[in-house]
């Protein structure tokens, strides 16, 4: 069959940069060349023993292989307690919490329950790609909200045109931010709630990095602000905080109407979270939390080694205040972030993500993930220095 026709919605999506980078890595590895991969935020810090033990015990129980059509009451109660203790937020376990098969799944699908074809969705620029991809799957039109360095990468709500605000149905925001690593002040959330209430916009706040904040800083929940639950929900994830990335554990929390519609959508799309994975999630949020501090310290140490090391060889990097990423300007003698990325992997064997992959405002930057141990990071810095890619006269 030579004339297969496919959904026009797929015309909105090109081959992702992560797929391109994966192919380059595969080719170089096949030739016996080493690639140090800092492109994808895939945590390499495993879960604490008590979390893995809970998963293994539950996986050995034959009765746990049935469909998990709805979240276990124990899971919902555990998450309710976690949000109360960790964030000081009261939630109703029955109506204000819904599990996700990882935040990515939730971000890809939630717009289907909120927007119709042609509706406007406000997304940050730069942003984690699925923030825009999910709404586009639902047929939405995107309006980008710039996150500029001169504003501390905080969205300026007063720059959103009045006519756009009135048409918007959904807004996605996320701090601590991927990829810019910025944290937002309390005043931003207060303005956000007022803005959303004024224009009847549903807010989705992604809070995946609230426990990866450094230098003694603290980070809470969007839902702790008065009025937040009236206008939106928060997504949270156990991937980075507890090392459970592959287990795919996330939650949608907050406004009961939004949660209810998402539950309805998901009831027609999947059969819920595998029961042993629910057991691991319960162990994570109710058990010994010293693993969270240990993970935070590991990332802070990696951050220091990477930023200080690259700065010392001429690639200036500011230490991020949060997340597991570094957002760095490309050397001045490169014209595009993708050109620099390709040169870096070709000559130094180091793979990072071009800022352009995160939206128009990402051009001129790259994102580096803190997913290698200290020994490998020092090796990375040496490889970049010896490659000459940071020297203008060494540019091909």
């Amino acid at each position: 069959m030579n004339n297969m026709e496919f959904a026009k919605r797929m015309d909105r999506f090109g081959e992702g940069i992560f797929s391109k980078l994966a192919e380059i890595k595969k080719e170089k590895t096949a030739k016996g060349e080493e690639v140090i991969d800092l492109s994808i935020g895939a945590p390499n810090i495993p879960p604490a023993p008590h979390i893995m033990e809970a998963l293994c015990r539950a996986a050995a129980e034959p009765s746990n292989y049935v469909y998990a059509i709805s979240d276990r009451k124990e899971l919902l109660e555990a998450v309710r307690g976690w949000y109360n203790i960790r964030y000081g937020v009261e939630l109703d376990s029955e109506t204000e919490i819904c599990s996700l098969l990882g935040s990515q799944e939730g971000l890809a699908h939630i717009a289907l329950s909120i927007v119709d074809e042609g509706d406007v969705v406000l997304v940050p620029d730069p942003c984690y790609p699925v923030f825009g991809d999910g709404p586009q799957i639902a047929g939405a039109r995107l309006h980008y909200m710039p996150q500029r360095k001169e504003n501390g990468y905080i969205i300026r709500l007063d720059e959103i045109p009045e006519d756009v605000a009135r048409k918007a149905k959904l807004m996605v925001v996320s701090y601590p931010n991927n990829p810019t690593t910025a944290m937002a002040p309390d005043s931003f959330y207060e303005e956000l709630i007022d803005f959303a209430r004024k224009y009847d916009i549903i807010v989705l706040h992604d809070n995946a990095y609230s426990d990866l904040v450094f230098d003694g800083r603290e980070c809470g929940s969007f839902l702790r602000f008065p009025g937040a639950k009236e206008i939106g929900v928060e997504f949270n994830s156990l991937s980075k905080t507890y090392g459970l990335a592959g287990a795919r554990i996330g939650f949608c929390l907050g406004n009961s109407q939004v949660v209810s519609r998402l539950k309805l959508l998901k009831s027609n799309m999947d059969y819920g979270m595998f029961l042993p994975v629910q057991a691991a999630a319960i162990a994570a949020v109710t058990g010994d939390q010293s693993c969270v501090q240990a993970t935070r310290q590991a990332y802070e140490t990696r951050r220091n080694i990477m930023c200080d090391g690259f700065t010392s060889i001429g690639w200036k990097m500011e230490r991020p205040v949060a997340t597991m990423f570094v957002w760095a300007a490309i050397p001045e003698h490169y014209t595009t972030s993708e050109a620099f990325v390709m040169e870096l992997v070709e000559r130094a064997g180091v793979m990072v993500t071009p800022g352009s992959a995160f939206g128009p405002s990402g051009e001129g930057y790259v994102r580096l993930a803190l997913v290698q141990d200290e020994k490998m990071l020092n090796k990375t810095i040496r490889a970049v220095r010896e490659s000459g890619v940071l020297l203008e006269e060494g540019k091909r």
Side-chain angles (χ1 to χ4, degrees):
M1 185 173 178
N2 297 321
N3 296 311
M4 290 183 179
E5 293 188 8
F6 297 95
K8 291 182 174 58
R9 72 173 62 87
M10 293 307 297
D11 295 341
R12 300 166 181 165
F13 305 99
E15 181 187 12
I17 185 63
F18 294 109
S19 298
K20 292 181 183 178
L21 293 174
E23 189 60 34
I24 292 170
K25 182 178 179 179
K26 181 180 178 182
E27 291 173 1
K28 292 183 76 67
T29 302
K31 291 189 247 181
E33 301 176 28
E34 181 181 27
V35 176
I36 303 173
D37 194 348
L38 305 177
S39 65
I40 299 179
N44 67 339
I45 300 173
H50 71 275
I51 300 172
M52 292 189 286
E53 288 165 7
L55 176 61
C56 292
R57 281 196 306 271
E61 177 56 58
S63 63
N64 281 338
Y65 287 81
V66 298
Y67 288 131
I69 293 174
S70 59
D71 297 324
R72 287 175 57 192
K73 183 177 180 181
E74 294 89 343
L75 175 65
L76 295 173
E77 281 297 315
V79 173
R80 184 193 64 78
W82 172 47
Y83 251 67
N84 188 3
I85 294 169
R86 166 63 181 86
Y87 297 104
V89 172
E90 290 282 353
L91 293 167
D92 184 291
S93 60
E94 294 295 324
T95 63
E96 296 180 339
I97 304 172
C98 172
S99 73
L100 308 169
L101 303 182
S103 291
Q104 180 94 356
E105 176 266 319
L107 289 162
H109 293 144
I110 190 171
L112 291 168
S113 70
I114 296 174
V115 305
D116 290 312
E117 189 83 25
D119 285 340
V120 174
V121 174
L122 307 174
V123 296
D125 173 31
C127 75
Y128 185 50
V130 77
F131 289 179
D133 291 347
Q136 286 197 92
I137 290 171
R141 293 184 293 123
L142 303 184
H143 177 85
Y144 288 106
M145 303 178 291
Q147 298 184 120
R148 301 188 184 92
K149 184 176 182 180
E150 58 266 32
N151 297 328
Y153 296 112
I154 305 302
I155 296 165
R156 288 285 302 271
L157 299 173
D158 59 356
E159 292 182 353
I160 299 172
E162 179 90 9
D163 62 325
V164 172
R166 293 197 179 282
K167 293 175 184 175
K169 288 185 70 175
L170 173 66
M171 174 193 291
V172 183
V173 295
S174 179
Y175 295 102
N177 185 257
N178 173 15
T180 70
T181 76
M183 292 177 66
D186 287 359
S187 59
F188 170 77
Y189 292 107
E190 292 161 356
E191 292 173 15
L192 175 63
I193 292 165
D194 289 342
F195 183 87
R197 186 183 286 120
K198 177 180 179 180
Y199 293 107
D200 293 322
I201 300 172
I202 294 171
V203 171
L204 191 168
H205 179 256
D206 185 45
N207 200 24
Y209 300 99
S210 55
D211 277 311
L212 296 186
V213 295
F214 308 130
D215 307 314
R217 293 178 177 84
E218 295 183 355
C219 183
S221 165
F222 157 69
L223 298 177
R224 78 184 191 275
F225 292 93
K229 281 203 289 185
E230 297 171 17
I231 53 90
V233 293
E234 179 161 276
F235 277 17
N236 211 325
S237 166
L238 306 192
S239 294
K240 278 67 176 190
T241 306
Y242 296 99
L244 284 161
R248 311 311 303 134
I249 306 172
F251 300 98
C252 175
L253 317 105
N255 184 274
S256 60
Q257 294 182 72
V258 177
V259 170
S260 173
R261 299 304 286 180
L262 181 58
K263 283 183 177 180
L264 177 60
L265 176 68
K266 284 175 60 62
S267 72
N268 288 279
M269 297 185 75
D270 64 61
Y271 282 104
M273 187 185 294
F274 186 38
L275 291 176
V277 173
Q278 293 193 39
I282 293 167
V285 300
T286 63
D288 182 1
Q289 299 298 295
S290 61
C291 60
V292 177
Q293 173 58 32
T295 297
R296 180 186 304 117
Q297 186 57 57
Y299 281 117
E300 186 169 328
T301 299
R302 294 177 182 186
R303 174 202 69 167
N304 296 347
I305 290 172
M306 178 183 284
C307 293
D308 297 355
F310 276 126
T311 297
S312 72
I313 65 170
W315 186 7
K316 181 172 171 51
M317 291 186 187
E318 296 179 10
R319 290 181 174 185
V321 297
T323 78
M324 58 184 295
F325 304 108
V326 175
W327 185 241
I330 63 175
E332 292 181 357
H333 52 282
Y334 286 91
T335 55
T336 69
S337 56
E338 189 162 337
F340 173 62
V341 166
M342 296 306 173
E343 192 84 352
L344 189 65
V345 70
E346 177 63 30
R347 296 177 59 186
V350 174
M351 186 171 287
V352 302
T353 307
S356 54
F358 301 99
S361 294
E363 184 53 77
Y365 294 84
V366 292
R367 191 195 72 176
L368 304 90
L370 300 170
V371 292
Q372 301 288 350
D373 62 24
E374 298 170 31
K375 181 179 178 181
M376 188 60 74
L377 287 177
N378 283 314
K379 183 178 181 179
T380 301
I381 294 160
R382 289 196 301 273
V384 173
R385 183 188 67 223
E386 292 168 4
S387 73
V389 295
L390 301 182
L391 304 174
E392 186 161 9
E393 58 269 26
K395 185 177 182 294
R396 291 177 177 177

